[in-house]
Structures are given as C-alpha cells and as structure tokens.
Amino acid sequence: MNYEKFIEDQVAYIKQTVGGEKAINALSGGVDSSLVTILGHRAIGERLRTVFVDSALMRKDEPQGVVKLFADLGIPVELVDARDEFLSALAGLTDPEEKRNAVTDTFYSKVFAKLVKESGAKFLLHGTILTDIEETVAGIKRQHNILSQLGIDTEAAYGYTVMEPLKTLRKDGVRRVAELVGLPDEIVNRIPFPGPALATRIVGEVTPERLEIVGAATAIVEEELADTGAFQYLAVLLNDRATGIRDNKRQFGRIIVVRCIESTDARTATITQLPWKKLNRICERIVQIKGVNRCLYDLTPKPPATIEYI
Ligand code: XMP
C-alpha cells in the first residue's frame, strides 16, 4: 500500500465528509486512536473535539499521561471523568459478552451521546482497524468499537455518524502510517491495549478492588517486559482462588496470569520464550500484590486461545 497516498486520501475523506460540521473523537493513547486524532486534526483542525474518557478501566496514570503527550504535540485533549458510569454499568456482570456490551453501551450511548449533544458534533471519528471488523463479522468476538458492521445504525441509535478512516489497515500498517505523520515512537510502538481496557483482563466481575489488583500486575508486567520487543504483554486476574501461605497462615488468594506474545497483526500469536530468570522475577513481584498468591505464565498460542481473556 502507498501509505503517503493513504494519508492524503483519508485527510481528504474526513474534510469532505465532515464539511462545515463538527466532529468528535475519543483518544485512548493507543496507536489507532492517536493516528485518527492526527488525521482528523489535519483535516478539520479545531472543528474536531478530542476527548479522553476516563472509564476507571485504564492503566495507572494513563489518562493524565495521554493528555500531556498530545498537549506537547499541540493538540488539546479534554479529559472526561466517566468512572462512576462505567463501574455501575459493569457491577454484577460476569459474562464476557455482557461485560463488553456494557462497556460499549456506556461508552457510545451514555458518555458519548451526551458529549456529542453538548458539542453539536455530527460525526464521530473512530480508530476501527481491519482486524476488528473481520473478527467481529466472523463471530469470534464482538470488538467494542464495531457498530455499523453489525447492522447498528449509529445515526438512529446514538445520533451521530461514525467514520472509520483506518478500516483498511491492520496493526502493522497503522504503525507505518503513524510514523509517517510524525507520532512519537512511544505511541507508534506502543503495545496494543484493548478498548474495553482492563475489563478484558478480569475474568468475572469488574470491581474497583479487582481493578486495583490487575492494574498493579499490569504495571509490573509492562515494566519487566518492555525490553523484550514482544508484540503484546499483559496480566489477567482470574475468577478462581487458590490456597497459599501468607504470614504462616493459610490464605485463599488471587491468581494472576501473565501473557507475552509474538504476532504481527494479532490474528495469530505465538508465545515468547522468556528467560526463566525474568519469569521468576515477575512472579516474585506479582505475589507481593496484596491478596495475590499465585502467578502463572500462559503458554497457549492464538488459536485456540485469543490474546485477551474475555
Ligand atoms: P484477541 O483477544 O481477540 O485480541 O485475540 C486481538 C487483539 O485485539 C485487542 N483487542 C481489542 N482491541 N477493542 C480493541 O480495540 C476490543 O474490544 C479488543 N479486544 C481485544 C487485543 O488486545 C489484541 O491485541
């Protein structure tokens, strides 16, 4: 693909489609939504309102970090606090697809619909990529950002039109284009992080306490594995518990799974052969998290597993 032409074409498409209207987009700090933000600002400048929605599901300090990074690029990003909305929508849910739907619904029909109404935006610029569409259409999993491909009329349902300028690219293509538009390396080579965020890394109910545990494990895994160059690495909190010993007493504790994978486009993945020493250090640190007494390394490739756990 001619990526320079791709940039020109998408900027023109956004300019033409939005016309004199306003658009809005949600930035998560991942490479997909970051690229959409840059293309959108190139196309329509201040008529694009970029927001970062704090869903309570993001990694530690992520909201403030992303806002600062884009401020340094000259793009203002508004931080929207929607933590209560997401946590109450997820309370009591354990089924993976119900959890995904709760995140989608809170995001689009509650938080976004309100923002769009306030701002008068007629368009939503979206970072959907080809893999998201293919897997959703194939019925493998409902990616949280897929709407029109499932026959959802966003105009009628949510009051705005969704535009997806990256829908012909896979992850590797997105990274090439992101580099070309001048996004910093920190974004271009950022490991993928799913839209429903830490909700995909908690098996069972999402609660503030469980988010705290998986958030702490995520920080450890990301710090320890940053130098591997792996495609993606993550920590998952299981719903089971296991017996262990803490302070000489029996403890029925939490279980964290660590995953580190190699892939080019997330459609298939193999497992990184991490050095034993590295695995041991991760385990030592993870079992220091309060309430956690087991740490497992997942050896399952995709397929048959998916990368995330829900
Ligand atoms: P799975 O778990 O389906 O993940 O093997 C494939 C890749 O997609 C990411 N992922 C998502 N990304 N919205 C996203 O934007 C989602 O709902 C979602 N679910 C999974 C996952 O992290 C992996 O890189």
Side-chain angles (χ1 to χ4, degrees):
M1 186 186 278
N2 179 340
Y3 291 115
E4 295 283 3
K5 181 153 189 315
F6 174 88
I7 296 168
E8 267 171 40
D9 288 351
Q10 295 312 314
V11 169
Y13 157 69
I14 297 167
K15 212 181 248 175
Q16 240 169 37
T17 313
V18 176
E21 300 286 349
K22 289 186 202 145
I24 189 164
N25 83 306
L27 172 67
S28 69
V31 64
D32 306 344
S33 66
S34 295
L35 177 56
V36 167
T37 302
I38 300 282
L39 295 177
H41 277 269
R42 275 202 188 170
I44 58 171
E46 284 172 2
R47 280 181 298 119
L48 176 63
R49 181 179 175 194
T50 298
V51 298
F52 184 103
V53 175
D54 184 355
S55 60
L57 309 173
M58 306 308 288
R59 289 165 288 192
K60 209 169 163 285
D61 303 328
E62 196 161 25
Q64 294 73 17
V66 172
V67 170
K68 157 112 191 19
L69 196 147
F70 274 81
D72 293 346
L73 292 174
I75 295 179
V77 177
E78 229 174 286
L79 189 57
V80 175
D81 181 2
R83 288 174 294 179
D84 289 345
E85 280 100 323
F86 281 89
L87 288 173
S88 55
L90 285 162
L93 301 185
T94 53
D95 178 78
E97 290 295 291
E98 279 181 22
K99 281 158 68 181
R100 281 178 171 270
N101 286 342
V103 173
T104 306
D105 193 56
T106 306
F107 199 84
Y108 293 100
S109 60
K110 302 213 173 69
V111 178
F112 244 84
K114 197 167 144 229
L115 285 170
V116 173
K117 219 178 200 169
E118 274 170 24
S119 66
K122 290 262 185 308
F123 297 91
L124 169 62
L125 295 188
H126 218 289
T128 322
I129 66 170
L130 188 55
T131 320
D132 299 338
I133 298 173
E134 286 171 341
E135 295 207 334
T136 301
V137 171
I140 294 169
K141 143 174 333 184
R142 157 78 181 271
Q143 300 279 350
H144 101 296
N145 50 6
I146 297 294
L147 302 160
S148 60
Q149 289 82 3
L150 290 176
I152 297 173
D153 178 350
T154 55
E155 193 96 53
Y158 307 132
Y160 48 76
T161 301
V162 177
M163 294 169 65
E164 298 170 323
L166 311 185
K167 70 180 175 193
T168 56
L169 299 180
R170 296 190 196 283
K171 208 62 156 192
D172 40 345
V174 174
R175 291 209 165 107
R176 294 278 303 279
V177 178
E179 205 170 10
L180 281 175
V181 299
L183 275 162
D185 188 61
E186 178 186 348
I187 298 265
V188 173
N189 290 314
R190 203 163 192 180
I191 55 168
F193 188 65
L198 296 177
T200 62
R201 304 198 175 154
I202 294 178
V203 183
E205 191 182 0
V206 176
T207 63
E209 187 223 348
R210 306 189 80 214
L211 279 166
E212 181 79 32
I213 294 173
V214 83
T218 302
I220 294 169
V221 167
E222 290 192 352
E223 198 185 303
E224 291 288 347
L225 298 180
D227 64 358
T228 58
F231 178 82
Q232 199 169 359
Y233 28 90
L234 48 117
V236 177
L237 172 64
L238 296 186
N239 207 19
D240 274 340
R241 288 180 183 245
T243 300
I245 311 161
R246 185 75 66 185
D247 304 325
N248 286 324
K249 284 199 208 86
R250 179 182 188 278
Q251 180 198 43
F252 200 39
R254 312 271 191 187
I255 309 168
I256 291 285
V257 172
V258 174
R259 201 147 165 64
C260 183
I261 60 140
E262 309 295 329
S263 179
T264 47
D265 58 14
R267 284 187 300 170
T268 60
T270 56
I271 306 306
T272 311
Q273 292 196 26
L274 291 176
W276 198 244
K277 220 166 129 189
K278 178 79 102 182
L279 284 169
N280 273 322
R281 190 165 57 234
I282 291 171
C283 176
E284 273 166 23
R285 291 186 64 188
I286 283 191
V287 294
Q288 280 166 26
I289 300 168
K290 195 165 171 277
V292 177
N293 68 7
R294 301 260 171 161
C295 177
L296 317 178
Y297 189 51
D298 184 346
L299 296 179
T300 328
K302 172 181 182 176
T306 54
I307 292 168
E308 306 290 348
Y309 266 53
I310 78 156

